[in-house]
Amino acid sequence: MDEAKVERILQNPKFKAMVQKKRNLSWTLTIIMLVVYVGFMLLVGYNKEFLLSSVSGGVTTWGIPLGLGIIVLSFVLCWVYSYIANNTLDQLNAEAIREVEAIAKEKGTH
């Protein structure tokens, strides 16, 4: 594939839309996970007393549900990404691939 065709693919509006949506989604979910995880680590480092305090006067401390919450959040964010990727990004990807294949099949046009 020559450079002119590659450039046409890269300038394809559907390809650009797919790349932009995927980038925005990935960064948004990454930032959410980092903020929660770093927040938890800061809590561990600077406010151990809170994490050691009991949730309801029993033996369960705040550290346990917060730690489990982070694990559950990671699964939820994976599900969110999969759901959006399967329902939105895959459609854009299929449309972009069809157009890319049409561009690749062109013979002799620049």
Side-chain angles (χ1 to χ4, degrees), residues 31-43 70 73:
I31 289 168
I32 290 170
M33 194 67 220
L34 281 174
V35 166
V36 170
Y37 186 75
V38 169
F40 183 71
M41 291 297 104
L42 289 172
L43 197 58
I70 291 172
L73 177 67

Side-chain angles (χ1 to χ4, degrees), residues 36-89:
V36 170
Y37 186 75
V38 169
F40 183 71
M41 291 297 104
L42 289 172
L43 197 58
V44 167
Y46 293 107
N47 199 355
K48 289 181 187 175
E49 297 78 27
F50 170 73
L51 292 175
L52 293 173
S53 64
S54 176
V55 173
S56 61
V59 288
T60 304
T61 63
W62 279 105
I64 293 172
L66 289 176
L68 289 174
I70 291 172
I71 294 168
V72 170
L73 177 67
S74 67
F75 282 101
V76 168
L77 293 180
C78 286
W79 178 84
V80 167
Y81 181 84
S82 297
Y83 180 81
I84 293 173
N86 290 335
N87 292 313
T88 303
L89 298 177

